[in-house]
Amino acid sequence: MLKNLDAMDAELKELAIALYEIDAFKFGDFVTKVGLKTPIYFDLRVLISHPKIMVRLAKILWTFAEECPDITQICGVPYTALPLATLISADSNVPMLIKRKEAKAYGTKKLIEGNFKQGDHCVIIEDVVTSGSSILETAFILRKEGLKVTDTFVVIDREQNGKKNIEHHGIRMRSLYTTTRLMAYLLEANKITPKIVKNVTDYLLKFQAPIISVQDKRLKTPFHIRSTKTKNAIASKLFNLMETKQSTICLAADLTKANDIIEIADLIGPHIVLFKTHIDILEDFSYDFIKRLKDLAKKHEFLLMEDRKFADIGNTVSLQYEKGIYKISEWADIVTVHAVAGPNIIDGLKNSLKNINEPRGLFILAEMSSKGALTVNEYAQSAVSIAQSSDMVTGIVCQSNIFSNLGLIQLTPGVKLSKTSDNLGQQYNIPESVVNSGADLAVVGRGITEAQDKLAATLQYKKELWTAYLKRISN
């Protein structure tokens, strides 16, 4: 930087005190975005109520640009860094981009707003870095659009692996403050006590954010490698089945007669890896039907998934899973679960498996394929967080590439050979499109069950989905 170091230090100290006095720093017991407990919390959202301090902070943050003379675009991480990025853009006359938290469901469906061209050098502006996940997610989207991302300017580095994560992905991180430096400024100004400093210092030594990867790595990693990265036995089995059978089809057998289900399971069983039922729509359910279906699953090597979509409190789902006329826990390898009830729903399901000796798994619903579904934005990310915390989770039901965990399977419904919709809000996408959007397993229903030649249709879906997968991991 061109500024005299002593003058810069004095300015940073003065600004640190100003931030403390507007409650941008809080001390107590908090939890960070990545789930780490912390005795210090940074809340720079309060800046919008203190424009003079925000302007000062934006100006001093932009002095990092003196070391990066070829910047042509600025992108602030939503939402706290957006006001800072806006001020910097207006003051420096460098164009600004906005990364949406989700793609628009209409119009151009863009994730990046603003005018840019391939090869533009974009710097990312961020307020606080813990694991670096927000910066990496932003860089991932920008790079997919052809932008060059090599630098990020950050207000506060929490010193919890974030810088290491970010630089591991080829991005230089420059920060105005580290937590340690902030503590020193505030202690010198008698704003905090030595005890607080010790608590924070001890915390930093003990707790580090996990090493993370961006989503693209999941899409490029073959199934046989990912089978070794999962915590769930059913997920490992599915990965290996997909590799062995060269199939990524989950058949949605939404039929109402037992014999119809048995007939199609026997016909196309050799070419699928997962057979999905809605057992409560069956008009002639019997335990003999379950026995016949299980025998076919064993014969043709596919797994059974009851698309129950559990969504109640732990005690209720425990009873729904184990009891009643269907006794789902006894025969379904996998069930589907809504995240709306929170993580305790998984505990409720686990409670029903005390007398089950075979492995079981579940798919958490993060996004749905129906038009106008409310499973978007923060809800979807919360569902992902729940999924990543349990060894009972096989994967995530979603429409897009919203997670990076190699050991989880993305199951995407709404697949047809042509992009269409029905009159009840179901939206369909073609095989290559869903695979490129992250799908490991694709749910195919009426495209097969209503086909005149069901076996031929199955083979066509199988070929197109597997070809798209091979293309995805090789590009």
Side-chain angles (χ1 to χ4, degrees):
M1 293 183 190
L2 300 179
K3 287 194 173 189
N4 177 278
L5 291 178
D6 289 339
M8 174 65 79
D9 189 67
E11 188 171 352
L12 285 172
K13 179 181 177 182
E14 185 179 326
L15 190 54
I17 294 168
L19 289 168
Y20 172 82
E21 290 176 345
I22 63 170
D23 285 332
F25 315 142
K26 296 178 173 63
F27 300 94
D29 294 314
F30 306 96
V31 177
T32 67
K33 176 184 174 181
V34 295
L36 295 175
K37 292 184 178 180
T38 173
I40 183 171
Y41 181 68
F42 300 110
D43 183 10
L44 296 188
R45 289 168 294 188
V46 299
L47 279 169
I48 59 175
S49 298
H50 304 274
K52 289 185 178 180
I53 296 175
M54 185 164 59
V55 168
R56 287 178 62 191
L57 187 60
K59 282 183 178 294
I60 195 170
L61 187 61
W62 189 240
T63 56
F64 286 129
E66 296 169 11
E67 302 170 32
C68 309
D70 61 338
I71 295 171
T72 54
Q73 300 280 354
I74 295 167
C75 183
V77 176
Y79 288 106
T80 308
L82 285 178
L84 290 172
T86 303
L87 288 171
I88 289 170
S89 176
D91 190 55
S92 64
N93 199 33
V94 176
M96 176 178 161
L97 302 174
I98 294 178
K99 182 190 83 70
R100 299 177 63 89
K101 278 213 165 188
E102 70 288 333
K104 293 191 294 185
Y106 55 89
T108 59
K109 300 185 178 181
K110 293 190 296 185
L111 270 172
I112 302 295
E113 300 290 353
N115 294 321
F116 60 90
K117 62 181 184 297
Q118 297 254 329
D120 276 358
H121 182 193
C122 183
V123 66
I124 296 173
I125 306 297
E126 177 64 302
D127 61 332
V128 180
V129 166
T130 303
S131 69
S133 61
S134 295
I135 287 174
L136 291 178
E137 288 164 9
T138 301
F140 174 73
I141 298 298
L142 292 170
R143 284 170 167 173
K144 281 187 74 172
E145 295 291 335
L147 289 143
K148 177 183 174 186
V149 181
T150 60
D151 298 274
T152 181
F153 303 163
V154 174
V155 179
I156 301 169
D157 173 12
R158 288 185 61 97
E159 300 177 283
Q160 292 182 271
N161 258 347
K163 185 174 183 180
K164 184 177 179 180
N165 273 331
I166 290 164
E167 294 188 344
H168 179 70
H169 288 87
I171 302 171
R172 290 183 295 268
M173 187 183 109
R174 297 171 173 86
S175 61
L176 293 178
Y177 301 102
T178 61
T179 302
T180 302
R181 192 176 187 186
L182 266 177
M183 293 297 97
Y185 285 145
L186 296 177
L187 180 64
E188 187 179 343
N190 294 316
K191 297 296 182 180
I192 58 175
T193 65
K195 183 179 179 181
I196 289 176
V197 175
K198 184 179 185 307
N199 287 343
V200 173
T201 303
D202 290 346
Y203 161 77
L204 292 176
L205 290 172
K206 188 175 180 181
F207 294 101
Q208 293 289 295
I211 299 297
I212 56 176
S213 60
V214 293
Q215 283 93 325
D216 212 24
K217 185 176 180 181
R218 177 175 72 85
L219 304 193
K220 303 299 182 184
T221 304
F223 292 147
H224 70 273
I225 294 176
R226 291 174 60 189
S227 70
T228 66
K229 307 294 183 183
T230 182
K231 297 185 291 185
N232 178 256
I234 292 293
S236 181
K237 190 170 184 177
L238 264 177
F239 276 129
N240 288 319
L241 274 176
M242 289 190 286
E243 193 85 58
T244 301
K245 300 181 81 169
Q246 295 190 359
S247 173
T248 57
I249 296 178
C250 167
L251 177 74
D254 297 337
L255 305 172
T256 60
K257 299 294 184 182
N259 284 337
D260 292 342
I261 292 178
I262 294 298
E263 182 180 338
I264 198 168
D266 198 19
L267 176 67
I268 70 168
H271 306 289
I272 66 171
V273 294
L274 193 58
F275 193 89
K276 184 176 82 71
T277 60
H278 280 295
I279 201 66
D280 54 357
I281 69 172
L282 204 60
E283 296 174 354
D284 52 352
F285 171 82
S286 69
Y287 294 112
D288 178 65
F289 162 74
I290 293 297
K291 182 182 181 303
R292 292 164 68 197
L293 188 59
K294 287 180 69 176
D295 287 344
L296 287 175
K298 183 177 180 180
K299 174 184 175 183
H300 296 308
E301 294 186 286
F302 59 80
L303 298 181
L304 298 175
M305 181 172 79
E306 167 55 23
D307 195 6
R308 180 61 178 77
K309 296 185 177 71
F310 291 102
D312 217 312
I313 62 172
N315 183 64
T316 300
V317 299
S318 179
L319 295 171
Q320 291 171 328
Y321 192 26
E322 182 183 8
K323 306 294 185 180
I325 63 171
Y326 301 120
K327 296 181 172 39
I328 297 168
S329 64
E330 293 184 5
W331 56 269
D333 300 294
I334 303 168
V335 292
T336 52
V337 181
H338 276 297
V340 66
N344 287 339
I345 194 170
I346 299 177
D347 297 329
L349 294 169
K350 272 189 173 181
N351 188 58
S352 297
L353 298 176
K354 295 172 184 175
N355 299 316
I356 304 296
N357 297 320
E358 299 166 323
R360 291 289 183 256
L362 57 88
F363 275 97
I364 296 282
L365 273 82
E367 295 176 328
M368 296 181 70
S369 57
S370 53
K371 185 178 180 180
L374 303 181
T375 51
V376 294
N377 307 345
E378 286 82 2
Y379 180 90
Q381 286 303 318
S382 295
V384 170
S385 296
I386 292 172
Q388 296 184 129
S389 65
S390 172
D391 62 2
M392 193 175 172
V393 177
T394 300
I396 298 171
V397 180
C398 53
Q399 296 295 306
S400 55
N401 181 24
I402 60 174
F403 66 94
S404 60
N405 191 313
L406 294 178
L408 293 175
I409 295 172
Q410 178 176 325
L411 177 67
T412 299
V415 182
K416 269 196 173 182
L417 294 176
S418 59
K419 188 170 183 177
T420 58
S421 62
D422 67 11
N423 60 2
L424 294 176
Q426 172 68 294
Q427 300 176 111
Y428 294 101
N429 286 296
I430 61 173
E432 185 173 15
S433 174
V434 298
V435 172
N436 289 339
S437 294
D440 301 310
L441 266 176
V443 180
V444 184
R446 283 171 274 182
I448 291 176
T449 60
E450 296 181 0
Q452 188 171 2
D453 188 334
K454 295 175 177 54
L455 180 58
T458 302
L459 293 174
Q460 186 174 359
Y461 276 102
K462 179 182 179 182
K463 180 182 178 181
E464 290 200 18
L465 286 165
W466 190 254
T467 299
Y469 159 71
L470 293 178
K471 184 177 178 181
R472 186 179 83 181
I473 63 173
S474 63
N475 281 347

